[in-house]
Amino acid sequence: MKLRHWTIPLLYAAGATVWIFATDGVVDALSKDKNTLQSLQLIKGLLFVGLSAALLALLVHRERQAREALEQNVTEQRLLVELVQRCEDLARSADTTRALAQGVCDTLTSAPGVNSALVRIGHGADRVYLGVAGATEAQFREDLGTIVDAPESARRYSALVERGESFHATTASLGIRLPGVEALMMVGLGRPPSGVLAVRASAAKHFTPGWQAAVHRIGLAIEAGLSRLDVRATLDTFLETVPISVTVFDGEGRLRLINAEARAGARVLTPALELEERVPESYESFGAIAAAHAKVRQTKLPVVATHRVNGRTYDTTHVPLPDSAGRVNSVAMLARDITDEVALRQALRALTTESMRLREEEQARLSRDLHDDLGQRLTALKLQLRAIERVVSDLPSMPGDLVDRVVEASALADDTVHVQRISQALRPAALEALGLPAALRDEVSAFSRRSGIACTTDIEELTVDPLVATHAFRIAQEALTNVARHARAKQVHVGLTKRDGVLVLRVEDDGVGFEPLHRLSLGLLSMDERARQVGGRLDLERRERGGTVVRLTVGAPP
């Protein structure tokens, strides 16, 4: 029973009072002689003093024991806090799983009363001992056999392995004997448990709630450390196998990380550096990389850039790596050698340019042939049929059906003579004869007649390079065709301006707009490629009030 601090003085006062009254009665009853009475009173006083001293000594002893227990408890708590802190630091800093596990085991066995410790991953035949201290792996295997052979310890161990229940017990309570071990503390690692942390105490007095809580926290720290190392191993594998150069530079420009691709194939972009080295200021790419990294640190946003170094072209992305305080000192540079891709794109663009040029030339030739040759021949045929029609209609003996056939043939020749429409579609005569502004006005007028859509224009009179004029006209044609097919517009506006050497063609409608995936259509891809052929840019925008704006810009700075 635990006594309050005022209970012992109260009991002492009550006992002293009872002692005084009881002994006085006894002394008076034993003797009436004055001298004998004084002697008995003296003996009574001495006995009282002796009993009081004994009681005081007992109180002092109890106080000393309580103080020692408190100091021992404080010392144990300080020790456990230090052990947990050291193990958590290991979990955050260890480079490998074995370094983490062995470090934890060595830390635990350095504590007084700890016999041995182990960290194991896997169960049964698949178990792997990552860390062992205070005993050998063979001893742990032998002791595990003893544990699984005893009913109570086997049940507790099964609960640990299968459900992750903590296993804390003395060997006496389990009915087993392990050399030098009186208490076992084991926790599962992982959910569900894929490993075990075991701590074995040499004396049952170390089997305390504080130790159990500390072992549990250390188990959680090991789980966090193993998880971190797994993620790091996965990241390291990814960095070493990804076909992209990855380098990380700190705030002073020193190399902190470099992957296999960077070591093997990107030596041109960054010279053959070792960790902690800097890119020399004399190196060709130094200025571009330094400028990109400075911009990243200033904006805290990724920067995409293209670098040309020693005849090679690199597509790079510079990514900020903020520290725990949010400051951006380190920058990761992801680089990919696109020299071959650029050469292939240039070759394809040249091929496309030549194909478009040949197609325009062929269409121009066909247009001339249709207009100059076939058109003239059909006109002559029409005139001949008209003459035959007049002759046979005047002959009295000609069958009526023959006259009708001649009339039908003449009408068919009339329709066929409109071949100039086909010629105009292949190559507008106004484009070559009068230039782009006139050709656009004719095309817009023809579009309005065909589609019934009201059209307005704001087309300035200006001179345009023939190649630019051809591509701009075809882009306008395709844009108007898209309006007729998809926009459901009521009005279209076409504008052509030139300011400070920058040509701008706009085709704007008030229709239903467009979906982003429509940018992948063949017509829009063709328009975009035509814009590139003349060094321009094609922009496709959705208007806030509905409709679409197609804008071609040629001559603007990149």
Side-chain angles (χ1 to χ4, degrees):
M1 181 177 65
K2 185 175 181 180
L3 300 179
R4 297 181 181 274
H5 67 281
W6 47 264
T7 305
I8 294 178
L10 182 61
L11 291 175
Y12 178 76
T17 303
V18 172
W19 168 269
I20 291 172
F21 285 107
T23 54
D24 282 346
V26 171
V27 169
D28 290 340
L30 289 176
S31 176
K32 298 298 184 178
D33 181 66
K34 184 176 180 180
N35 292 330
T36 303
L37 181 61
Q38 288 178 349
S39 299
L40 290 175
Q41 288 287 0
L42 178 61
I43 294 171
K44 182 187 73 170
L46 292 174
L47 287 173
F48 180 75
V49 171
L51 290 173
S52 298
L55 180 59
L56 181 60
L58 177 62
L59 291 175
V60 170
H61 178 69
R62 290 281 301 275
E63 179 66 21
R64 185 184 299 112
Q65 285 183 327
R67 188 184 302 111
E68 290 176 353
L70 179 61
E71 291 176 352
Q72 184 178 357
N73 185 53
V74 170
T75 301
E76 180 182 280
Q77 292 300 320
R78 187 182 296 114
L79 170 66
L80 294 177
V81 169
E82 182 180 347
L83 281 177
V84 171
Q85 185 63 52
R86 289 167 61 187
C87 292
E88 289 178 344
D89 291 343
L90 279 169
R92 286 189 290 265
S93 62
D95 293 329
T96 64
T97 56
R98 290 190 178 276
L100 167 59
Q102 190 59 50
V104 168
C105 290
D106 291 340
T107 300
L108 286 169
T109 53
S110 67
V114 176
N115 173 280
S116 52
L118 76 84
V119 175
R120 191 192 73 211
I121 297 298
H123 303 294
D126 297 329
R127 58 177 176 260
V128 176
Y129 291 87
L130 297 180
V132 174
T136 64
E137 292 184 17
Q139 289 174 317
F140 275 111
R141 291 192 183 95
E142 183 179 348
D143 292 347
L144 179 59
T146 302
I147 291 173
V148 297
D149 286 341
E152 178 60 20
S153 58
R155 183 188 66 80
R156 299 281 295 276
Y157 184 76
S158 296
L160 167 70
V161 171
E162 296 171 4
R163 298 186 297 277
E165 297 181 6
S166 299
F167 183 169
H168 303 308
T170 62
T171 54
S173 67
L174 297 174
I176 61 175
R177 298 187 63 181
L178 301 177
V181 177
E182 291 188 5
L184 294 173
M185 291 171 282
M186 291 190 285
V187 293
L189 302 178
R191 300 293 182 274
S194 58
V196 172
L197 164 65
V199 181
R200 311 197 305 179
S202 57
K205 66 179 182 179
H206 295 292
F207 181 68
T208 64
W211 263 102
Q212 296 173 35
V215 171
H216 179 72
R217 283 194 57 183
I218 293 171
L220 294 177
I222 294 174
E223 287 181 11
L226 293 176
S227 177
R228 176 185 65 83
L229 291 170
D230 285 344
V231 172
R232 177 174 174 178
T234 302
L235 180 60
D236 289 344
T237 301
F238 170 76
L239 288 175
E240 290 302 307
T241 57
V242 67
I244 296 176
S245 166
V246 180
T247 49
V248 175
F249 295 90
D250 64 13
E252 298 180 1
R254 291 175 299 190
L255 182 65
R256 291 296 189 184
L257 182 148
I258 182 168
N259 72 339
E261 183 70 14
R263 289 191 296 269
R267 291 304 196 185
V268 178
L269 181 60
T270 55
L273 300 177
E274 299 298 332
L275 293 179
E276 302 297 327
E277 290 185 345
R278 297 179 176 87
V279 177
E281 294 187 12
S282 60
Y283 197 72
E284 186 175 356
S285 66
F286 172 82
I289 293 176
H293 288 188
K295 186 175 181 180
V296 168
R297 294 188 180 96
Q298 178 183 2
T299 63
K300 297 184 178 181
L301 296 173
V303 172
V304 178
T306 300
H307 302 309
R308 284 191 58 82
V309 183
N310 291 339
R312 307 294 295 180
T313 303
Y314 294 89
D315 185 10
T316 63
T317 302
H318 306 266
V319 183
L321 300 177
D323 58 19
S324 57
R327 297 184 299 266
V328 176
N329 290 318
S330 297
V331 178
M333 181 174 68
L334 314 180
R336 190 166 60 91
D337 189 340
I338 59 171
T339 306
D340 296 338
E341 294 180 21
V342 170
L344 180 60
R345 285 199 296 267
Q346 291 174 344
L348 289 174
R349 186 159 292 133
L351 181 61
T352 303
T353 301
E354 182 65 12
S355 175
M356 288 183 174
R357 185 188 66 79
L358 293 175
R359 185 174 65 182
E360 291 292 339
E361 289 181 357
E362 184 64 15
Q363 288 180 344
R365 185 187 65 79
L366 288 173
S367 176
R368 288 192 298 270
D369 289 347
L370 287 172
H371 183 272
D372 298 340
D373 188 7
L374 182 59
Q376 293 178 7
R377 291 175 182 274
L378 289 173
T379 300
L381 176 61
K382 172 186 173 183
L383 294 175
Q384 291 293 334
L385 290 172
R386 287 284 178 83
I388 294 173
E389 178 184 348
R390 287 194 298 271
V391 172
V392 298
S393 61
D394 293 337
L395 296 176
S397 59
M398 289 297 294
D401 60 341
L402 180 58
V403 176
D404 292 339
R405 290 182 180 180
V406 173
V407 171
E408 290 176 2
S410 179
L412 180 61
D414 275 337
D415 292 338
T416 308
V417 168
H418 292 303
V419 71
Q420 60 262 34
R421 289 201 301 267
I422 302 175
S423 174
Q424 179 73 10
L426 287 171
R427 182 69 178 180
L431 186 60
E432 292 187 351
L434 303 177
L436 178 61
L440 283 177
R441 293 191 189 96
D442 288 350
E443 183 66 23
V444 172
S445 298
F447 170 79
S448 183
R449 288 194 303 272
R450 292 193 306 269
S451 64
I453 300 174
C455 297
T456 59
T457 60
D458 180 17
I459 300 175
E460 298 180 357
E461 292 296 336
L462 44 85
T463 303
V464 183
D465 177 83
L467 180 62
V468 174
T470 297
H471 287 298
F473 181 80
R474 294 303 186 192
I475 288 173
Q477 270 189 324
E478 184 65 32
L480 292 172
T481 299
N482 287 338
V483 171
R485 289 178 178 174
H486 310 296
R488 300 202 293 274
K490 296 181 179 179
Q491 189 169 6
V492 174
H493 178 77
V494 178
L496 181 68
T497 60
K498 192 173 186 179
R499 299 286 186 274
D500 299 327
V502 179
L503 178 73
V504 178
L505 169 68
R506 287 171 57 94
V507 179
E508 185 173 355
D509 67 73
D510 61 354
V512 297
F514 69 96
E515 296 296 330
L517 289 178
H518 288 172
R519 292 194 68 98
L520 301 177
S521 67
L522 185 60
L524 291 178
L525 291 175
S526 175
M527 294 164 65
D528 188 66
E529 185 57 35
R530 285 186 179 276
R532 292 175 182 272
Q533 297 305 319
V534 293
R537 186 181 72 249
L538 185 74
D539 296 309
L540 189 63
E541 302 173 359
R542 172 176 263 175
R543 302 195 316 173
E544 292 184 2
R545 59 182 182 276
T548 304
V549 178
V550 177
R551 181 188 300 107
L552 169 67
T553 305
V554 181

PDB file of all heavy atoms in Angstrom, residues 94-98 224-242 257:
ATOM      1  N   ALA A  94      21.772   6.100 -42.788  1.00  0.00           N
ATOM      2  CA  ALA A  94      22.462   4.902 -43.288  1.00  0.00           C
ATOM      3  C   ALA A  94      22.366   4.820 -44.808  1.00  0.00           C
ATOM      4  O   ALA A  94      21.346   5.161 -45.409  1.00  0.00           O
ATOM      5  CB  ALA A  94      21.872   3.654 -42.648  1.00  0.00           C
ATOM      6  N   ASP A  95      23.455   4.355 -45.423  1.00  0.00           N
ATOM      7  CA  ASP A  95      23.507   4.257 -46.877  1.00  0.00           C
ATOM      8  C   ASP A  95      22.975   2.930 -47.402  1.00  0.00           C
ATOM      9  O   ASP A  95      22.582   2.842 -48.565  1.00  0.00           O
ATOM     10  CB  ASP A  95      24.948   4.448 -47.373  1.00  0.00           C
ATOM     11  CG  ASP A  95      25.435   5.865 -47.137  1.00  0.00           C
ATOM     12  OD1 ASP A  95      24.607   6.791 -47.165  1.00  0.00           O
ATOM     13  OD2 ASP A  95      26.646   6.041 -46.913  1.00  0.00           O
ATOM     14  N   THR A  96      23.016   1.874 -46.567  1.00  0.00           N
ATOM     15  CA  THR A  96      22.547   0.558 -47.007  1.00  0.00           C
ATOM     16  C   THR A  96      21.699  -0.066 -45.904  1.00  0.00           C
ATOM     17  O   THR A  96      21.774   0.338 -44.737  1.00  0.00           O
ATOM     18  CB  THR A  96      23.729  -0.383 -47.330  1.00  0.00           C
ATOM     19  OG1 THR A  96      24.469  -0.631 -46.119  1.00  0.00           O
ATOM     20  CG2 THR A  96      24.648   0.230 -48.386  1.00  0.00           C
ATOM     21  N   THR A  97      20.916  -1.070 -46.274  1.00  0.00           N
ATOM     22  CA  THR A  97      20.069  -1.748 -45.294  1.00  0.00           C
ATOM     23  C   THR A  97      20.914  -2.479 -44.258  1.00  0.00           C
ATOM     24  O   THR A  97      20.580  -2.495 -43.077  1.00  0.00           O
ATOM     25  CB  THR A  97      19.136  -2.739 -45.990  1.00  0.00           C
ATOM     26  OG1 THR A  97      19.922  -3.663 -46.774  1.00  0.00           O
ATOM     27  CG2 THR A  97      18.166  -2.017 -46.911  1.00  0.00           C
ATOM     28  N   ARG A  98      22.014  -3.079 -44.690  1.00  0.00           N
ATOM     29  CA  ARG A  98      22.869  -3.793 -43.734  1.00  0.00           C
ATOM     30  C   ARG A  98      23.556  -2.817 -42.775  1.00  0.00           C
ATOM     31  O   ARG A  98      23.717  -3.116 -41.584  1.00  0.00           O
ATOM     32  CB  ARG A  98      23.901  -4.646 -44.467  1.00  0.00           C
ATOM     33  CG  ARG A  98      23.298  -5.849 -45.180  1.00  0.00           C
ATOM     34  CD  ARG A  98      24.343  -6.815 -45.686  1.00  0.00           C
ATOM     35  NE  ARG A  98      23.729  -7.981 -46.310  1.00  0.00           N
ATOM     36  CZ  ARG A  98      23.307  -9.045 -45.655  1.00  0.00           C
ATOM     37  NH1 ARG A  98      23.446  -9.099 -44.333  1.00  0.00           N
ATOM     38  NH2 ARG A  98      22.757 -10.071 -46.295  1.00  0.00           N
ATOM     39  N   ALA A 224      10.949   2.817 -41.191  1.00  0.00           N
ATOM     40  CA  ALA A 224      11.079   4.051 -41.976  1.00  0.00           C
ATOM     41  C   ALA A 224      12.398   4.069 -42.739  1.00  0.00           C
ATOM     42  O   ALA A 224      12.450   4.479 -43.908  1.00  0.00           O
ATOM     43  CB  ALA A 224      10.968   5.268 -41.059  1.00  0.00           C
ATOM     44  N   GLY A 225      13.477   3.625 -42.078  1.00  0.00           N
ATOM     45  CA  GLY A 225      14.776   3.606 -42.746  1.00  0.00           C
ATOM     46  C   GLY A 225      14.818   2.636 -43.909  1.00  0.00           C
ATOM     47  O   GLY A 225      15.346   2.958 -44.981  1.00  0.00           O
ATOM     48  N   LEU A 226      14.262   1.434 -43.702  1.00  0.00           N
ATOM     49  CA  LEU A 226      14.229   0.452 -44.798  1.00  0.00           C
ATOM     50  C   LEU A 226      13.387   0.960 -45.953  1.00  0.00           C
ATOM     51  O   LEU A 226      13.741   0.760 -47.133  1.00  0.00           O
ATOM     52  CB  LEU A 226      13.690  -0.879 -44.284  1.00  0.00           C
ATOM     53  CG  LEU A 226      14.571  -1.625 -43.270  1.00  0.00           C
ATOM     54  CD1 LEU A 226      13.866  -2.882 -42.781  1.00  0.00           C
ATOM     55  CD2 LEU A 226      15.928  -1.986 -43.880  1.00  0.00           C
ATOM     56  N   SER A 227      12.261   1.611 -45.644  1.00  0.00           N
ATOM     57  CA  SER A 227      11.418   2.165 -46.695  1.00  0.00           C
ATOM     58  C   SER A 227      12.165   3.248 -47.465  1.00  0.00           C
ATOM     59  O   SER A 227      12.114   3.303 -48.700  1.00  0.00           O
ATOM     60  CB  SER A 227      10.136   2.732 -46.084  1.00  0.00           C
ATOM     61  OG  SER A 227       9.340   3.334 -47.072  1.00  0.00           O
ATOM     62  N   ARG A 228      12.874   4.115 -46.726  1.00  0.00           N
ATOM     63  CA  ARG A 228      13.652   5.168 -47.392  1.00  0.00           C
ATOM     64  C   ARG A 228      14.721   4.574 -48.294  1.00  0.00           C
ATOM     65  O   ARG A 228      14.914   5.042 -49.438  1.00  0.00           O
ATOM     66  CB  ARG A 228      14.303   6.062 -46.329  1.00  0.00           C
ATOM     67  CG  ARG A 228      15.214   7.144 -46.900  1.00  0.00           C
ATOM     68  CD  ARG A 228      15.908   7.908 -45.789  1.00  0.00           C
ATOM     69  NE  ARG A 228      16.827   7.076 -45.032  1.00  0.00           N
ATOM     70  CZ  ARG A 228      18.071   6.813 -45.410  1.00  0.00           C
ATOM     71  NH1 ARG A 228      18.547   7.312 -46.544  1.00  0.00           N
ATOM     72  NH2 ARG A 228      18.855   6.060 -44.661  1.00  0.00           N
ATOM     73  N   LEU A 229      15.393   3.558 -47.807  1.00  0.00           N
ATOM     74  CA  LEU A 229      16.452   2.952 -48.615  1.00  0.00           C
ATOM     75  C   LEU A 229      15.879   2.220 -49.822  1.00  0.00           C
ATOM     76  O   LEU A 229      16.512   2.187 -50.889  1.00  0.00           O
ATOM     77  CB  LEU A 229      17.270   1.991 -47.749  1.00  0.00           C
ATOM     78  CG  LEU A 229      18.134   2.672 -46.673  1.00  0.00           C
ATOM     79  CD1 LEU A 229      18.709   1.655 -45.721  1.00  0.00           C
ATOM     80  CD2 LEU A 229      19.248   3.480 -47.333  1.00  0.00           C
ATOM     81  N   ASP A 230      14.682   1.623 -49.668  1.00  0.00           N
ATOM     82  CA  ASP A 230      14.036   0.989 -50.822  1.00  0.00           C
ATOM     83  C   ASP A 230      13.722   2.016 -51.893  1.00  0.00           C
ATOM     84  O   ASP A 230      13.951   1.789 -53.085  1.00  0.00           O
ATOM     85  CB  ASP A 230      12.752   0.273 -50.380  1.00  0.00           C
ATOM     86  CG  ASP A 230      13.035  -1.025 -49.657  1.00  0.00           C
ATOM     87  OD1 ASP A 230      14.175  -1.523 -49.766  1.00  0.00           O
ATOM     88  OD2 ASP A 230      12.127  -1.546 -48.987  1.00  0.00           O
ATOM     89  N   VAL A 231      13.167   3.156 -51.452  1.00  0.00           N
ATOM     90  CA  VAL A 231      12.859   4.229 -52.408  1.00  0.00           C
ATOM     91  C   VAL A 231      14.143   4.730 -53.054  1.00  0.00           C
ATOM     92  O   VAL A 231      14.203   4.959 -54.267  1.00  0.00           O
ATOM     93  CB  VAL A 231      12.114   5.374 -51.699  1.00  0.00           C
ATOM     94  CG1 VAL A 231      11.964   6.570 -52.631  1.00  0.00           C
ATOM     95  CG2 VAL A 231      10.749   4.899 -51.226  1.00  0.00           C
ATOM     96  N   ARG A 232      15.184   4.897 -52.233  1.00  0.00           N
ATOM     97  CA  ARG A 232      16.447   5.377 -52.775  1.00  0.00           C
ATOM     98  C   ARG A 232      17.037   4.376 -53.767  1.00  0.00           C
ATOM     99  O   ARG A 232      17.565   4.778 -54.818  1.00  0.00           O
ATOM    100  CB  ARG A 232      17.423   5.621 -51.630  1.00  0.00           C
ATOM    101  CG  ARG A 232      18.797   6.064 -52.106  1.00  0.00           C
ATOM    102  CD  ARG A 232      19.695   6.434 -50.950  1.00  0.00           C
ATOM    103  NE  ARG A 232      21.042   6.724 -51.400  1.00  0.00           N
ATOM    104  CZ  ARG A 232      22.026   7.118 -50.603  1.00  0.00           C
ATOM    105  NH1 ARG A 232      21.783   7.277 -49.310  1.00  0.00           N
ATOM    106  NH2 ARG A 232      23.223   7.353 -51.090  1.00  0.00           N
ATOM    107  N   ALA A 233      16.945   3.076 -53.427  1.00  0.00           N
ATOM    108  CA  ALA A 233      17.459   2.056 -54.345  1.00  0.00           C
ATOM    109  C   ALA A 233      16.694   2.076 -55.664  1.00  0.00           C
ATOM    110  O   ALA A 233      17.285   1.960 -56.749  1.00  0.00           O
ATOM    111  CB  ALA A 233      17.369   0.676 -53.696  1.00  0.00           C
ATOM    112  N   THR A 234      15.370   2.237 -55.561  1.00  0.00           N
ATOM    113  CA  THR A 234      14.559   2.325 -56.779  1.00  0.00           C
ATOM    114  C   THR A 234      14.948   3.544 -57.596  1.00  0.00           C
ATOM    115  O   THR A 234      15.085   3.476 -58.823  1.00  0.00           O
ATOM    116  CB  THR A 234      13.067   2.384 -56.413  1.00  0.00           C
ATOM    117  OG1 THR A 234      12.722   1.225 -55.659  1.00  0.00           O
ATOM    118  CG2 THR A 234      12.209   2.448 -57.664  1.00  0.00           C
ATOM    119  N   LEU A 235      15.126   4.682 -56.907  1.00  0.00           N
ATOM    120  CA  LEU A 235      15.523   5.908 -57.597  1.00  0.00           C
ATOM    121  C   LEU A 235      16.906   5.765 -58.213  1.00  0.00           C
ATOM    122  O   LEU A 235      17.138   6.200 -59.354  1.00  0.00           O
ATOM    123  CB  LEU A 235      15.492   7.078 -56.620  1.00  0.00           C
ATOM    124  CG  LEU A 235      15.888   8.442 -57.191  1.00  0.00           C
ATOM    125  CD1 LEU A 235      14.949   8.827 -58.319  1.00  0.00           C
ATOM    126  CD2 LEU A 235      15.870   9.506 -56.095  1.00  0.00           C
ATOM    127  N   ASP A 236      17.837   5.157 -57.463  1.00  0.00           N
ATOM    128  CA  ASP A 236      19.183   4.954 -58.016  1.00  0.00           C
ATOM    129  C   ASP A 236      19.149   4.071 -59.253  1.00  0.00           C
ATOM    130  O   ASP A 236      19.828   4.349 -60.250  1.00  0.00           O
ATOM    131  CB  ASP A 236      20.092   4.327 -56.955  1.00  0.00           C
ATOM    132  CG  ASP A 236      20.442   5.301 -55.839  1.00  0.00           C
ATOM    133  OD1 ASP A 236      20.239   6.511 -56.041  1.00  0.00           O
ATOM    134  OD2 ASP A 236      20.893   4.843 -54.778  1.00  0.00           O
ATOM    135  N   THR A 237      18.344   3.010 -59.199  1.00  0.00           N
ATOM    136  CA  THR A 237      18.215   2.127 -60.368  1.00  0.00           C
ATOM    137  C   THR A 237      17.631   2.885 -61.545  1.00  0.00           C
ATOM    138  O   THR A 237      18.088   2.755 -62.693  1.00  0.00           O
ATOM    139  CB  THR A 237      17.320   0.927 -60.018  1.00  0.00           C
ATOM    140  OG1 THR A 237      17.899   0.208 -58.925  1.00  0.00           O
ATOM    141  CG2 THR A 237      17.178  -0.007 -61.213  1.00  0.00           C
ATOM    142  N   PHE A 238      16.612   3.698 -61.254  1.00  0.00           N
ATOM    143  CA  PHE A 238      15.996   4.501 -62.323  1.00  0.00           C
ATOM    144  C   PHE A 238      17.006   5.464 -62.923  1.00  0.00           C
ATOM    145  O   PHE A 238      17.126   5.576 -64.157  1.00  0.00           O
ATOM    146  CB  PHE A 238      14.798   5.265 -61.758  1.00  0.00           C
ATOM    147  CG  PHE A 238      14.247   6.298 -62.687  1.00  0.00           C
ATOM    148  CD1 PHE A 238      13.464   5.925 -63.768  1.00  0.00           C
ATOM    149  CD2 PHE A 238      14.515   7.645 -62.485  1.00  0.00           C
ATOM    150  CE1 PHE A 238      12.962   6.878 -64.629  1.00  0.00           C
ATOM    151  CE2 PHE A 238      14.017   8.603 -63.345  1.00  0.00           C
ATOM    152  CZ  PHE A 238      13.235   8.220 -64.424  1.00  0.00           C
ATOM    153  N   LEU A 239      17.760   6.169 -62.065  1.00  0.00           N
ATOM    154  CA  LEU A 239      18.724   7.145 -62.563  1.00  0.00           C
ATOM    155  C   LEU A 239      19.812   6.479 -63.390  1.00  0.00           C
ATOM    156  O   LEU A 239      20.296   7.045 -64.372  1.00  0.00           O
ATOM    157  CB  LEU A 239      19.353   7.901 -61.395  1.00  0.00           C
ATOM    158  CG  LEU A 239      18.449   8.911 -60.679  1.00  0.00           C
ATOM    159  CD1 LEU A 239      19.166   9.496 -59.473  1.00  0.00           C
ATOM    160  CD2 LEU A 239      18.018  10.023 -61.628  1.00  0.00           C
ATOM    161  N   GLU A 240      20.207   5.267 -62.987  1.00  0.00           N
ATOM    162  CA  GLU A 240      21.286   4.596 -63.694  1.00  0.00           C
ATOM    163  C   GLU A 240      20.828   3.957 -65.005  1.00  0.00           C
ATOM    164  O   GLU A 240      21.663   3.623 -65.846  1.00  0.00           O
ATOM    165  CB  GLU A 240      21.916   3.530 -62.793  1.00  0.00           C
ATOM    166  CG  GLU A 240      22.710   4.106 -61.631  1.00  0.00           C
ATOM    167  CD  GLU A 240      23.821   5.026 -62.102  1.00  0.00           C
ATOM    168  OE1 GLU A 240      24.634   4.616 -62.944  1.00  0.00           O
ATOM    169  OE2 GLU A 240      23.855   6.193 -61.634  1.00  0.00           O
ATOM    170  N   THR A 241      19.530   3.756 -65.172  1.00  0.00           N
ATOM    171  CA  THR A 241      19.038   3.093 -66.383  1.00  0.00           C
ATOM    172  C   THR A 241      18.281   4.025 -67.319  1.00  0.00           C
ATOM    173  O   THR A 241      18.099   3.693 -68.487  1.00  0.00           O
ATOM    174  CB  THR A 241      18.113   1.918 -66.010  1.00  0.00           C
ATOM    175  OG1 THR A 241      17.036   2.394 -65.187  1.00  0.00           O
ATOM    176  CG2 THR A 241      18.877   0.841 -65.257  1.00  0.00           C
ATOM    177  N   VAL A 242      17.822   5.179 -66.826  1.00  0.00           N
ATOM    178  CA  VAL A 242      17.044   6.079 -67.681  1.00  0.00           C
ATOM    179  C   VAL A 242      17.951   6.625 -68.788  1.00  0.00           C
ATOM    180  O   VAL A 242      19.105   6.986 -68.545  1.00  0.00           O
ATOM    181  CB  VAL A 242      16.447   7.227 -66.834  1.00  0.00           C
ATOM    182  CG1 VAL A 242      17.528   8.146 -66.303  1.00  0.00           C
ATOM    183  CG2 VAL A 242      15.439   8.007 -67.651  1.00  0.00           C
ATOM    184  N   LEU A 257      25.753  15.002 -58.180  1.00  0.00           N
ATOM    185  CA  LEU A 257      25.223  13.706 -58.627  1.00  0.00           C
ATOM    186  C   LEU A 257      25.377  13.611 -60.131  1.00  0.00           C
ATOM    187  O   LEU A 257      25.172  14.601 -60.847  1.00  0.00           O
ATOM    188  CB  LEU A 257      23.753  13.560 -58.220  1.00  0.00           C
ATOM    189  CG  LEU A 257      23.042  12.244 -58.555  1.00  0.00           C
ATOM    190  CD1 LEU A 257      22.007  11.926 -57.497  1.00  0.00           C
ATOM    191  CD2 LEU A 257      22.354  12.313 -59.925  1.00  0.00           C
TER     192      LEU A 257
END
